[in-house]
Structures are given as structure tokens and as C-alpha cells.
Amino acid sequence: MSGGARGITPGRLAVLLVLALAVAITATLLATRSGDDPPGDGRLADGRPADGSTPTAGPTPPGAPYAYTTEKELVLMRGERRLARVPRVFDLADAQRNTVVWTHDGRYAAFLSDDAMLDRPDDSRLISVDASTGAVRRLPCPQCYDLAPVGDHEVFVLSTEPGPTSAYRFDLDQPDGARTEPDNGSYWQPYLLGATRTHVLTGDYEMSGGDPGMELRLNDLSSGGITVYSRLNSNAYMPAALTSAGGRDRIAVAARNNPGGCAAPFPIHPLGLSGQIGGTYQDAALPPGFVAGVTGGIDVQDLWWGPDHHLYASISAWTCEDSERAENDQKRPHRPATLFRLDGERWVSAGGQPATMVRPTGPDTRAVLVIPDCNGPVKAQDRITYCNAGVLFRERDGKRTKITGGVLSLSAPPSAS
């Protein structure tokens, strides 16, 4: 979940069984397109015009690229222009089914097809979209279920073929998307949390040998070395941010503490390349009278590195009302998810407007996704959609213009270098 993919709160976990049925129904209603079907913008899946004509060469649209997902498609934008639309069923509640990554050179957005969600894992494909041309390519990737960017224009993929957890690298800059298997002799954990050009951070939720939590490993693709971190009190929906900035790799994770009740902390830890686990001060983001494990809580919904080499996070906060039985009903919203920046070891406010996910798209412009936090009782008739989809804005000099609604997630190329 590179770049701070939005995780699942305890309230969202409760709806996953309902969601599984909803996805199955959606699959029967939604006509998914084959590799040669027009994606809705006049081009075939490989970028050729649907009418068979020869593509017309032209300049790359101005502006930085970014992508957003809805229930039915991924849309790639460049500046204010919609460059590509790729049909794909995206899960309303389970972020681990919806991972979208960008290669480190910023050229390709990549994600896996929805075949595994629709019980066709052998038909899974790795989909890439060229941010310069909008061309879409689908590469066979049987049993693939997770991915992260490595190198300049490669994608690291986990698969259960031949199993139990196999790893492959796809070079998206090659005409055939050449696939190789890393030869470092390591055991690959089942979750990819993110990657730099040379390091891959993996995780596994462990319950044995003491307190349950996430065990993390940092895999050096150059040397084959593995760094093991002490177990963190978190479930598998762990926001993570990795980048190469200031001449070194930087890593941070946020620990979604178990069991994740109303009085739950959500610490953010910088990780050293040699196994160190750091801490940060979240005083500015905490609710009034916060006592860890006693009253109040916070939720880290997004984690990413900015072009200024600072770490950013979207953090919401609540207090607790003990008269309610259900943990989520005890929550009383104090502040919706807003943007914070890590200065040294201390988090400071970086914006007062609601912001579930934020990505810079230019020197004075950024894309901002606002999704209801759903902390506390929710009266919406369709809770699944209401709590997991929101409005995407273009923000320039603090002023927001609506782009579209019904958006699940937001992604952009690595902004730090």
C-alpha cells in the first residue's frame, strides 16, 4: 500500500461480508470490457483509436499526472485533461484490493485487473497506463494479488503461482513487459507495503510468540539482504510511505492498533534501514483530554512524502462517549481528516479544510479527496458507499473546485526525489 493507501477502520471491517455479496451482484450487472474494448475515450485498451485509425502524434498535455478510482473505473488525469479511462471493478471497502502504484520515473500508473475479485484469479492481468499518451496495456499475471514500484520503470508483483508467495518484476518500459523473478533467496511475506527503487517493504500479520501484530521486513533487491523489524501492534491495513529523498531512502508506517476500539492510538513510526523504529509526537492531532487506551482516538487515513521531503498525513480525531455499547457508536467526532506535516519529530497542522487524501499536482496546485470519516453513528441509508466514496477537488492557492464525486482513492507519482 505504497504512498499511504487508505486503510480500514473497525467500522469498515464489519461491512466486508456484506460487500462480498455486493461485489458479486455488481459483477453480474457490470459489463466488464475485454482487452480490445474501447475504454470510453475513443481508444482501444492498448491505446489505438477504436475506429482503427492511426494515432495522431501530439504534445504531452501540460500539468502533472494523477489518477483516481471509482466503483467502475480508473481515470488518469494530466493537469485538467482526462487522458485515459480504464474499466475495472474497484472494491468499495477493502483498500487492499484496489492498490494503484506509480513507477518511480512517473511515467506509468499500474494496477491489477479485477479478475481475482470476480473469482477468475488465473485470468489476472497487470494493467499499466502511460501518463504521457494514455495508452493502456494488459500483461498476463496469473494469481497476482499485490504490487509495488521498483527501479525506475518496473513493478514488483506478488503471486500465488506457483506459490505459496512468489515474486516477479515487470519492466513496463519494454515492449513485451519483460518478466523476471528476483533471485535473492528470501521468503516473501504476503503483504507489500511499498517500495523504493532498491528496497521492498513487506509485512505479515502474526499471532504467535506473544502479542499479535505486523512483522515487517525490508528486502534489499541489490544485495539480497533482509532487515527484520520488531513486531508492531497493528493489523494488516497499515498505511505506509516510502521514497528516495535527499540522497537516501525514507520509510514511515502508521500502526493501526488492535483491537481498534474507540480509545485507540494510531502512532506513526519512521523506520531506519537497519531495523530502527522511531516515534513521533502527535499532540497537535489528538482530541482534547486524550489518554492513550483510555479516552479518545485518531485515524491516520493517508501517509505520503511531499516534494519538500516532509512526511504528510491525513488525521481525524474523536472523543468517546461511554454510554454507547458499540465501539464505533461511542465515537464523537472532534475533527474530520485534515492534513498534518511532520516537522522534525512533531506533527503540525498543514491545513484546516477536510482532506482524506492529498497529492501535489503542481507548484501551487494539488488534488484533494474528501470522504466522510464515519466516526460515530452513521444514518446514511447506504453506509458502504457513503463511508468509502467522496468528492475530488482541484485546489489552487487554497481555493477548491469540484472535479467529480463517487471517488474511492487518489494516487500520483512519487513527488520527492
Side-chain angles (χ1 to χ4, degrees):
M1 293 179 285
S2 174
R6 190 168 184 248
I8 292 183
T9 63
R12 293 188 177 97
L13 290 174
V15 303
L16 287 180
L17 291 178
V18 176
L19 176 66
L21 177 61
V23 169
I25 295 174
T26 300
T28 63
L29 298 177
L30 179 63
T32 56
R33 306 174 193 265
S34 70
D36 287 329
D37 286 338
D41 57 359
R43 285 188 298 273
L44 298 179
D46 61 2
R48 294 177 289 114
D51 60 7
S53 61
T54 302
T56 301
T60 299
Y66 65 95
Y68 65 85
T69 61
T70 69
E71 281 188 77
K72 298 180 180 180
E73 65 180 355
L74 175 137
V75 179
L76 190 144
M77 303 284 293
R78 193 168 190 105
E80 299 184 5
R81 176 180 166 186
R82 184 180 290 110
L83 196 60
R85 301 174 66 176
V86 186
R88 197 266 206 195
V89 175
F90 285 93
D91 197 310
L92 268 169
D94 191 347
Q96 288 184 344
R97 291 174 175 261
N98 298 339
T99 302
V100 177
V101 303
W102 287 79
T103 53
H104 290 291
D105 62 4
R107 181 171 179 181
Y108 301 99
F111 55 101
L112 296 172
S113 65
D114 54 21
D115 293 278
M117 291 174 57
L118 304 178
D119 295 324
R120 302 189 301 257
D122 289 337
D123 297 330
S124 292
R125 293 160 292 170
L126 173 63
I127 303 174
S128 64
V129 188
D130 190 318
S132 296
T133 66
V136 180
R137 182 166 56 171
R138 292 170 170 84
L139 301 170
C141 198
Q143 302 285 339
C144 293
Y145 68 90
D146 205 357
L147 73 166
V150 294
D152 285 330
H153 37 73
E154 294 176 289
V155 174
F156 191 89
V157 178
L158 292 184
S159 170
T160 56
E161 184 190 64
T165 305
S166 301
Y168 302 98
R169 292 177 69 155
F170 287 84
D171 188 341
L172 300 183
D173 231 22
Q174 296 298 316
D176 60 352
R179 188 179 90 165
T180 58
E181 188 169 0
D183 183 22
N184 64 354
S186 66
Y187 162 75
W188 294 104
Q189 294 178 299
Y191 300 107
L192 289 179
L193 299 183
T196 66
R197 286 176 168 85
T198 57
H199 291 87
V200 177
L201 184 66
T202 64
D204 191 9
Y205 184 77
E206 292 285 351
M207 299 186 66
S208 61
D211 295 331
M214 283 289 284
E215 289 190 351
L216 306 183
R217 295 182 181 182
L218 186 65
N219 302 266
D220 188 324
L221 296 179
S222 300
S223 68
I226 301 174
T227 299
V228 180
Y229 296 92
S230 299
R231 187 177 298 183
L232 290 170
N233 180 13
S234 178
N235 64 29
Y237 294 89
M238 171 181 276
L242 291 85
T243 191
S244 297
R248 63 186 179 91
D249 285 357
R250 302 187 183 194
I251 306 171
V253 297
R256 191 181 301 275
N257 280 190
N258 288 313
C262 185
F266 210 133
I268 299 175
H269 302 285
L271 302 182
L273 301 186
S274 301
Q276 309 94 324
I277 299 178
T280 59
Y281 296 99
Q282 298 173 306
D283 308 58
L286 298 173
F290 175 80
V291 178
V294 179
T295 177
I298 62 173
D299 187 11
V300 177
Q301 300 194 23
D302 192 24
L303 194 66
W304 52 281
W305 292 97
D308 56 4
H309 298 176
H310 281 280
L311 184 64
Y312 287 84
S314 291
I315 307 176
S316 60
W318 60 83
T319 57
C320 295
E321 176 55 63
D322 294 336
S323 61
E324 301 287 348
R325 286 189 176 183
E327 289 286 344
N328 194 63
D329 289 345
Q330 292 177 6
K331 297 178 180 178
R332 296 295 180 267
H334 168 65
R335 187 195 63 253
T338 55
L339 192 61
F340 285 82
R341 182 183 69 247
L342 184 62
D343 282 357
E345 296 182 346
R346 192 170 297 278
W347 289 94
V348 299
S349 175
Q353 298 186 75
T356 308
M357 300 186 76
V358 179
R359 293 295 181 271
T361 57
D364 57 354
T365 307
R366 57 190 186 183
V368 180
L369 175 59
V370 179
I371 297 176
D373 294 303
C374 290
N375 294 324
V378 175
K379 297 181 180 180
Q381 184 174 2
D382 183 356
R383 178 187 174 96
I384 297 176
T385 301
Y386 178 78
C387 293
N388 293 283
V391 178
L392 181 64
F393 297 92
R394 179 180 298 106
E395 182 177 293
R396 180 177 287 116
D397 297 327
K399 297 180 180 180
R400 294 182 176 180
T401 303
K402 180 180 176 180
I403 298 175
T404 189
V407 175
L408 306 184
S409 69
L410 173 66
S411 63
S415 56
S417 61

